[in-house]
Amino acid sequence: MRGKLVVGNWKMNGGLKANAQLLSALTAGWAGAPDRQLAVCVAYPYLVQAQAALSSTPIAWGAQDVSEHAAGAYTGEVSAAMLAEFGCRYAIVGHSERRQLYCDTDAIVGAKAKSALGAGVTPIACVGETLVERDAGTTERVVLRQLDAVLAAVGADAAKLVVAYEPVWAIGTGRTATSEQAQQVHVRLRARMREAGAADVALLYGGSVKADNAKALFAMADIDGGLIGGASLKADDFLAIGAA
Ligand code: PGA
């Protein structure tokens, strides 16, 4: 029986003061649950703050990206070993904003996932189609191509991945995929993971998940939780999604 994983993606939001309030509301409101893991992925400068606030709590933390390189002349990059030093359990890789705005290709996303795993950090590998791709009927082809690049890079470690399906047209738009639309894609992702010997990985859904639609999404057979953007910045909303 797979548990549920609910991860907040704070994106480039926050500040010391606002984070302190949010983190303390989350720790006060989340006692932990055997079948549920809550985590927040914060901007790099705040990892130390998340580590201090969350270390002795059931809430995990992580980063929103990671370098594919181990060390060296890569100005502006942060390695997986650095994330591990700050206690990160997770690193998001291949978020559509990184793919679209920062040219993260399928190959780079695969290399980032591999580098995270090498340092003991769990990659949350994101896949998802644009509206144009969905309308063209290529959703399945796109998400499987993205997933296959990650699987090729991580090889025998496929079972250590978390995968997040995030349709690009549903991110930050208020337009969520219906539970059935999401489940349809998750079934395909699950089948591919099964072929890779990793049928039981957590498959998250992301894209305008809110307190009022989380329960229906998470009730689907192959949706094991969510990657939450906007709603993760409000403690009450995020806690409600965590409990959904
Ligand atoms: P959203 O973002 O919940 O604000 O749509 C999700 C994400 O980008 O991970």
Side-chain angles (χ1 to χ4, degrees):
M1 176 68 186
R2 301 182 305 268
K4 291 277 190 270
L5 170 63
V6 175
V7 181
N9 173 11
W10 287 6
K11 309 195 180 185
M12 199 172 73
N13 293 296
L16 285 173
K17 194 165 166 226
N19 298 347
Q21 284 167 356
L22 180 50
L23 290 166
S24 91
L26 293 180
T27 53
W30 187 255
D35 59 338
R36 301 224 154 200
Q37 173 71 61
L38 213 61
V40 291
C41 289
V42 308
Y44 292 135
Y46 301 125
L47 283 174
V48 70
Q49 186 185 23
Q51 182 181 35
L54 300 175
S55 278
S56 51
T57 78
I59 303 175
W61 62 96
Q64 299 167 15
D65 193 21
V66 63
S67 175
E68 68 269 43
H69 303 291
Y74 301 103
T75 302
E77 290 292 276
V78 173
S79 74
M82 293 172 186
L83 299 185
E85 275 204 306
F86 287 92
C88 286
R89 187 171 314 170
Y90 300 103
I92 298 171
V93 297
H95 190 282
S96 61
E97 286 150 18
R98 302 281 334 162
R99 291 179 188 268
Q100 292 187 331
L101 302 173
Y102 302 97
C103 305
D104 278 11
T105 61
D106 289 344
I108 291 173
V109 174
K112 288 182 171 186
K114 183 171 183 217
S115 118
L117 284 171
V121 175
T122 299
I124 301 176
C126 301
V127 300
E129 81 288 6
T130 63
L131 192 53
V132 171
E133 290 164 338
R134 171 162 283 264
D135 289 345
T138 57
T139 296
E140 193 171 303
R141 181 143 44 96
V142 169
V143 300
L144 292 180
R145 187 202 75 219
Q146 293 170 333
L147 182 59
D148 283 347
V150 174
L151 290 174
V154 306
D157 282 337
K160 297 182 185 160
L161 294 169
V162 170
V163 176
Y165 168 54
E166 297 207 308
V168 179
W169 48 270
I171 294 176
T173 57
R175 191 178 152 190
T176 186
T178 64
S179 308
E180 290 73 22
Q181 277 175 322
Q183 168 64 14
Q184 248 171 29
V185 177
H186 278 233
V187 166
R188 298 299 305 129
L189 296 173
R190 180 79 64 201
R192 188 64 117 230
M193 293 310 293
R194 185 172 294 116
E195 286 163 20
D200 285 333
V201 297
L203 294 183
L204 311 185
Y205 170 79
S208 297
V209 178
K210 308 284 176 218
D212 59 7
N213 60 18
K215 208 174 181 69
L217 284 160
F218 298 173
M220 304 309 286
D222 290 293
I223 301 183
D224 306 318
L227 183 56
I228 320 299
S232 72
L233 298 171
K234 295 190 195 108
D236 289 349
D237 290 356
F238 189 56
L239 289 167
I241 295 169

